[in-house]
Amino acid sequence: MLRDITIGQYYPSDSILHQLDPRVKLMGTLVYVLSLFFFRGVSGFLAVTLGLAVLIRLSGVPVGYMVKGLKAIAVILILTGMFNLLLTPGEPLISFGAVKITEEGIKSAAFMVVRLTYLVLGSSVLTLTTTPNRLTDGLEKALRPLNRIGVPVHEISMIMSIALRFIPILVEETDKIMKAQLARGADFESGNLIKRAKSMVPLLVPLFVSAFRRANDLALAMEARCYNGGMGRTKMKPLKYERRDGAAYLLLALYFAGIIALRIWLKF
Amino acid sequence: MSIILDKVDYVYNGGTAYEKRALNQVSLKIQDGEFIGIIGHTGSGKSTLIQHLNGLLLASSGGIYYNGRDIYEEDYDRKELRSKVGLVFQYPEHQLFEPTVFADVCFGPKNLGLSRKESELRAFSALRGVGLPEEYWYRSPFELSGGQKRRAAIAGVLAMKPEVLILDEPTAGLDPLGRDEILNQIASMHRELNMTILLVSHSMEDVAEYVNRIIVMNQGSILLDGAPKEVFRYRQELEAAGLSVPQVTELMQELRDRGIPVSPEVTTLKEAKEAVLQAFSKHRQA
Ligand SMILES: Nc1ncnc2c1ncn2[C@@H]1O[C@H](COP(=O)(O)OP(=O)(O)O)[C@@H](O)[C@H]1O
Ligand SMILES: [Mg+2]
C-alpha cells in the first residue's frame, strides 16, 4: 500500500535517459515544466503529450510503475477538478439548484487535471532516471554561479539529496511500524475521521522518534568522516558532458521552440 | 491445533525491476506446544516467512491453515488471527509510543476490546512474565535501557495472550548478558505457559540450547528441518548456507575427526563436558 509512493524514487535501468548528464535532465525538466504552462489549445496539448510519451518511452521505466505514482496525488487531482468544474463562472450548461456546470468549467477542469498529471509524470522522470548522488552533483554544478552571491549551493543540494534518500527509508519504516502495530491489534482503516486520526498516534510517534534517531546517526556518521561542507571538496567522478548530452540540449531547444511556435501561430 | 503451510511462495514487488522472490515452495507443519528455532543467513526469508503466519503478508501462491481453517478464506477474521499468533518484530522497542511502559503494554489488550481493568490485569502479568522490574513500569519507555525496552515491547505482544508467540531475532543488538536473559525468559515462558514458540535467529548458538526443533532457511526455501542433533549432522550443508554449527558441536566433531571417541551430537556445553569426561574415563580404562 505505502510502497506505491514512487515520487522521488530511482528506478534502475540503463536507458539513454539514465545515461544522460544530470544537468541536461535538470534543464530538460525545467523546459518541460515551462512548456506545460505555455502550451495552448489542442495542438499544443498534442505536442506536450508527444513529448511526455517520448520521454517515458526513453526512460525505460514501465508505464504502470509511473502511473502508480499518481495515486499519491489522486486526492489533489480530484479536488482541483471539482473546484474548476463547479466554480468557474460562465454560461451554465447544466444546473441543479445552486450547482451549475459551465462549458468554461469543463474546459478548465480538464486542462488543470491534465496539466497537473503531466507535471507529476514528467518531473518524476528526472528522479526515476537519476540516482540521488548524480542529481546532487548535477544541481550543485548547475547552480554553482549562485555561490558568488552567497547562496550555499552545496548545502542546498546536500539537503535535497538527503531528503530524497530518506523518502524510501521513512516509507519502509512506516511500513514496519504499521505492521508491528497491526500485530498488536491496531486498526488503521475503520471508524470515523476522529477515530482514524487517533489511530495514527501509534504510527506517528515511533516514526518521528525514528526519523530523529536516523538524522542524528547520519549527522554523526558524516562528522566522523570529517564532512565539513563543500569547500575544497573534490569529486571522485566529476561530471563531464558527452556528445549525447549536446544532442539532448539541441532536442530540448527544438521542443521548446516548437511549443512556442505552436502557441503563436496555430490557434486551435 | 496446528499451523500448516502448503507450498507458500512470496514475491516482493512483483512485476517491477525490484522483483524479489523471498519464499519458494515453503511447506511446514507446526504443532501445539512446540519450541522451534528458525535459522538462516540474513536475507534467507525468515522474517518474510513469519509474517505469513499471522496474515500480515499474504502468500503470492500456496495456502496457510490455522487450526484446520484456511486463513485466506473470504470470511476468515484475520484480525483475530493476529491476536492468536503474536508476532514480536525485530527491534520491537522501536514501536513503543505511549507515555509510560505500562500504558504501552495495555495497547494490545485494549485493541482486543477488553475492559480497562482486564487490559491492566493482562499488562500486569505480561510485564511480570518478561521479568521487567516494577520500578520501570510507570516510566517513559525512552528512559529504559535497550534490553529493558525490548522486554517491555515483548510484554506488549504477550499481553494479548496469543496461542503462538513468534519472536524475530529477539536478541539482535543486545549484549551477551541481555541476550541470555531474554532467551532464558523465553524458554521459561515455553515451559510455564506451554505456549507454542517460534524463535527466529541467524545464530545457531542462540537457539541450540533451547529449542526442540530447528528449521533452517536458505534462499527462501527450507533446507533442513528436524531436532537440533539431527540438523547439526549436516555441518557442510549448513556451512554452505552461511551458517555454522554451535562451537561445542564443531569442537566435538573436530575431536572425533582426530580419533578421540566423543559423540558428535553434542549441542550444549554441559553435554560436551560429559562427553569429554566419558572419553577420558574410557581412555584410562584402556
Ligand atoms: N519489504 C521488502 N521489499 C522488498 N524486498 C524485501 C522486503 N523485505 C525483504 N525483502 C527481500 O526478501 C528477502 C528475504 O528477506 P527477509 O525475509 O527479511 O530475510 P531474513 O529475515 O532471513 O533476513 C531478502 O532478499 C530481502 O532483500
Ligand atoms: Mg529478518
Side-chain angles (χ1 to χ4, degrees):
Chain A
M1 38 191 161
L2 276 167
R3 289 177 189 279
D4 289 343
I5 299 175
T6 52
I7 290 177
Q9 297 310 294
Y10 177 67
Y11 189 95
S13 163
D14 52 5
S15 77
I16 177 85
L17 282 194
H18 282 75
Q19 291 164 22
L20 279 184
D21 190 286
R23 285 168 291 179
V24 183
K25 286 188 269 188
L26 279 165
M27 179 53 100
T29 308
L30 187 66
V31 165
Y32 173 79
V33 170
L34 283 179
S35 78
L36 284 183
F37 286 94
F38 270 127
F39 84 86
R40 273 276 166 79
V42 179
S43 60
F45 168 69
L46 289 177
V48 289
T49 307
L50 184 71
L52 182 63
V54 170
L55 216 56
I56 293 179
R57 190 67 221 280
L58 288 180
S59 73
V61 180
V63 179
Y65 190 83
M66 296 204 66
V67 173
K68 245 182 13 188
L70 283 177
K71 266 196 212 160
I73 61 150
V75 176
I76 301 175
L77 282 181
I78 292 169
L79 281 182
T80 312
M82 291 300 266
F83 277 130
N84 277 288
L85 194 60
L86 300 177
L87 300 179
T88 313
E91 270 303 296
L93 280 181
I94 322 162
S95 57
F96 320 92
V99 181
K100 48 184 196 313
I101 294 175
T102 61
E103 196 185 322
E104 288 85 350
I106 295 177
K107 266 192 195 153
S108 86
F111 191 60
M112 284 313 285
V113 169
V114 165
R115 196 178 252 176
L116 263 179
T117 309
Y118 280 23
L119 191 67
V120 171
L121 284 180
S123 47
S124 67
V125 169
L126 172 68
T127 47
L128 282 166
T129 62
T130 319
T131 61
N133 267 344
R134 301 249 303 159
L135 198 58
T136 320
D137 286 356
L139 200 68
E140 200 179 336
K141 211 148 183 195
L143 296 183
R144 177 152 317 155
L146 292 182
N147 233 342
R148 267 193 228 124
I149 55 165
V151 180
V153 170
H154 171 83
E155 281 71 15
I156 290 174
S157 348
M158 184 55 103
I159 290 170
M160 201 199 70
S161 84
I162 291 176
L164 277 179
R165 183 65 196 89
F166 263 55
I167 293 175
I169 293 178
L170 288 181
V171 167
E172 198 175 303
E173 193 79 16
T174 312
D175 197 52
K176 257 191 212 155
I177 298 170
M178 210 164 183
K179 277 186 188 162
Q181 306 299 24
L182 280 173
R184 293 208 281 164
D187 189 346
F188 296 112
E189 267 139 23
S190 57
N192 57 26
L193 209 61
I194 296 176
K195 211 172 149 222
R196 272 205 227 182
K198 262 189 165 165
S199 76
M200 286 291 136
V201 173
L203 182 63
L204 291 179
V205 173
L207 191 63
F208 273 102
V209 172
S210 126
F212 280 115
R213 188 181 53 238
R214 280 175 192 282
N216 210 9
D217 288 353
L218 181 65
L220 273 177
M222 284 167 81
E223 239 159 60
R225 293 174 208 183
C226 304
Y227 174 80
N228 60 1
M231 280 289 274
R233 202 160 176 235
T234 55
K235 296 255 182 282
M236 190 155 104
K237 290 182 192 156
L239 291 176
K240 255 198 355 239
Y241 279 126
E242 310 265 339
R243 186 173 281 158
R244 58 169 174 263
D245 298 316
Y249 273 129
L250 197 66
L251 275 175
L252 271 179
L254 283 176
Y255 169 79
F256 201 52
I259 295 284
I260 292 176
L262 280 178
R263 184 185 159 116
I264 295 174
W265 287 302
L266 271 181
K267 295 225 157 57
F268 62 90
Chain B
M1 301 283 246
S2 63
I3 306 176
I4 295 173
L5 270 73
D6 182 27
K7 299 200 181 120
V8 169
D9 282 332
Y10 189 77
V11 181
Y12 281 108
N13 307 314
T16 70
Y18 293 107
E19 181 167 308
K20 169 83 202 171
R21 173 169 288 265
L23 289 182
N24 195 2
Q25 299 282 300
V26 172
S27 298
L28 80 114
K29 183 167 182 182
I30 297 163
Q31 299 282 10
D32 232 14
E34 278 193 290
F35 190 177
I36 302 179
I38 299 181
I39 310 281
H41 196 58
T42 308
S44 58
K46 308 179 295 286
S47 301
T48 308
L49 173 66
I50 56 169
Q51 287 174 52
H52 281 79
L53 302 181
N54 73 348
L56 275 179
L57 288 180
L58 303 181
S60 308
S61 73
I64 298 179
Y65 305 85
Y66 185 71
N67 292 338
R69 283 202 56 198
D70 184 350
I71 71 165
Y72 294 151
E73 239 171 49
E74 195 97 17
D75 58 345
Y76 191 88
D77 184 356
R78 278 204 289 274
K79 196 173 169 209
E80 196 192 319
L81 176 68
R82 295 203 285 261
S83 72
K84 297 232 173 93
V85 182
L87 178 54
V88 179
F89 278 85
Q90 195 169 0
Y91 297 110
E93 57 274 23
H94 292 174
Q95 80 207 20
L96 301 171
F97 70 97
E98 292 274 20
T100 68
V101 170
F102 193 80
D104 201 272
V105 177
C106 287
F107 180 66
K110 266 199 311 205
N111 286 329
L112 296 182
L114 298 174
S115 70
R116 195 173 141 192
K117 189 149 184 213
E118 176 68 18
S119 302
E120 289 181 353
L121 277 175
R122 286 204 179 182
F124 193 83
S125 63
L127 281 165
R128 275 276 157 80
V130 296
L132 187 71
E134 203 162 335
E135 49 179 305
Y136 298 111
W137 294 7
Y138 303 100
R139 293 204 194 161
S140 160
F142 300 108
E143 290 171 23
L144 270 53
S145 77
Q148 289 163 342
K149 271 192 232 174
R150 179 103 18 122
R151 280 158 192 261
I154 294 176
V157 173
L158 262 189
M160 299 174 66
K161 291 212 175 143
E163 295 167 357
V164 180
L165 180 64
I166 308 175
L167 300 117
D168 196 354
E169 312 225 7
T171 61
L174 292 186
D175 54 88
L177 187 67
R179 169 193 159 236
D180 288 347
E181 278 177 1
I182 290 264
L183 288 176
N184 283 325
Q185 205 82 51
I186 294 167
S188 83
M189 278 179 334
H190 175 246
R191 247 179 291 125
E192 280 152 29
L193 307 176
N194 200 25
M195 238 182 220
T196 310
I197 293 187
L198 273 75
L199 180 63
V200 175
S201 175
H202 60 266
S203 146
M204 282 290 184
E205 230 74 34
D206 265 9
V207 300
E209 264 185 70
Y210 301 97
V211 304
N212 27 55
R213 174 175 165 198
I214 289 182
I215 296 171
V216 180
M217 298 283 302
N218 187 30
Q219 297 183 357
S221 314
I222 294 183
L223 179 70
L224 296 165
D225 181 352
K229 288 187 196 326
E230 291 166 31
V231 167
F232 294 149
R233 270 187 219 140
Y234 299 88
R235 193 169 138 199
Q236 259 125 39
E237 284 84 348
L238 288 172
E239 271 164 12
L243 295 166
S244 56
V245 301
Q247 278 175 353
V248 278
T249 311
E250 195 175 339
L251 181 67
M252 290 299 121
Q253 291 180 355
E254 291 279 341
L255 285 176
R256 201 181 158 81
D257 288 347
R258 297 186 184 192
I260 298 168
V262 289
S263 160
E265 296 195 343
V266 162
T267 54
T268 65
L269 204 57
K270 219 167 107 197
E271 288 172 351
K273 182 177 141 199
E274 266 152 36
V276 171
L277 285 177
Q278 226 173 17
F280 262 124
S281 64
K282 263 190 216 152
H283 185 72
R284 226 175 262 155
Q285 279 160 15

